[in-house]
Amino acid sequence: MNTTPLWRRVVAEGIGTGLLVTVVVGSGIAAARLSPDDAGLQLLENAFATALGLAVLILMLGPVSGAHFNPVVSGVDWWIGRRAGTGLTGRDLGAYVPAQLVGAVLGAVLANLMYGGAAVSWSTTDRSSGALWLGEVVATAGLIMVVFALAASGRATLAPAAVGAYVGSAYWFTSSTSFANPAVTIGRAFSDTFAGIAPASLSGFVVAQILGAAVGLGLLTLLYPKAGRAADEVVTRRIDIPASDGVFK
């Protein structure tokens, strides 16, 4: 059971999710400006920056909060750990998710401002189709499997590289370019750029992500029936962070 104060973990989740969206949106803006006539190269640049940025954020903030940065990851962590007394509590989940959502929005605002745009510019990129929703189901189910299989098999130390690699590759093998994260999806609606998604498309993506999380949970239960015992290791093992006086608070 993690004893790092909840407020500290919540701050880490907000910062981490925000910076993840800044990486996604900022690299998307840069890619569109650097390679304006080559959509494939834009996607490559965006995916490469996102994969590396996510790995670094997990390494930096994982010891504090577990580096979920994703409401569906937090939700599954609570669900599988509740019987074993591991992972997030209901109170933790109720604090993590709002922090992730607020962080995501602020991350998009930061990216917009860094590139000289308006703080908020609603995306006009429509992403509404059955094929894209199916891509989100696949992307999210795969992410849940990667994250929780590593924890269940005692290989959580590989999460920064493995999760970053999965997200980077899923940009290419899924039709939706693998948002796989409700908070990041909502944040991306606040930027009318290469990485954006129109507000009208949000509901379809979020529903697909929740369905994908359920599929991933089902596969996890089938293949790793004792995964709940390792819920404290998701995404990376959280540790107690001492106060400046050396006393854990």
Side-chain angles (χ1 to χ4, degrees):
M1 180 68 67
N2 181 264
T3 58
T4 298
L6 178 58
W7 70 264
R8 188 175 289 160
R9 288 182 278 142
V10 167
V11 169
E13 283 296 301
I15 291 173
T17 311
L19 290 177
L20 174 58
V21 173
T22 300
V23 170
V24 172
V25 174
S27 64
I29 296 172
R33 293 185 180 182
L34 292 170
S35 311
D37 300 317
D38 192 333
L41 184 55
Q42 290 174 17
L43 184 61
L44 177 62
E45 293 161 345
N46 192 205
F48 184 71
T50 299
L52 293 183
L54 178 56
V56 170
L57 289 170
I58 292 172
L59 285 169
M60 180 171 65
L61 297 170
V64 182
S65 68
H68 294 186
F69 310 152
N70 188 332
V72 295
V73 170
S74 296
V76 172
D77 187 54
W78 165 76
W79 181 264
I80 68 168
R82 70 195 193 287
R83 292 182 179 176
T86 59
L88 296 183
T89 65
R91 177 171 174 260
D92 293 340
L93 180 63
Y96 268 44
V97 173
Q100 292 160 350
L101 294 173
V102 172
V105 172
L106 295 179
V109 170
L110 176 59
N112 290 337
L113 293 175
M114 282 199 301
Y115 281 91
V120 174
S121 57
W122 296 109
S123 176
T124 56
T125 303
D126 179 70
R127 299 179 189 265
S128 300
S129 76
L132 297 181
W133 297 334
L134 178 59
E136 279 301 284
V137 171
V138 171
T140 310
L143 177 62
I144 294 297
M145 280 299 297
V146 170
V147 167
F148 288 89
L150 287 173
S153 59
R155 296 176 295 162
T157 54
L158 299 177
V163 174
Y166 174 79
V167 169
S169 64
Y171 260 77
W172 289 89
F173 75 76
T174 64
S175 57
S176 63
T177 66
S178 183
F179 286 45
N181 183 329
V184 169
T185 302
I186 291 170
R188 289 168 72 162
F190 285 74
S191 183
D192 190 20
T193 57
F194 174 80
I197 176 172
S201 301
L202 289 179
S203 59
F205 262 56
V206 172
V207 169
Q209 290 158 359
I210 293 172
L211 178 58
V215 172
L217 177 61
L219 292 172
L220 182 72
T221 302
L222 177 66
L223 299 175
Y224 294 92
K226 298 181 179 179
R229 297 179 181 178
D232 281 335
E233 310 295 320
V234 176
V235 171
T236 61
R237 182 175 180 268
R238 301 186 295 275
I239 63 174
D240 295 309
I241 306 297
S244 58
D245 58 4
V247 178
F248 290 105
K249 294 183 178 179

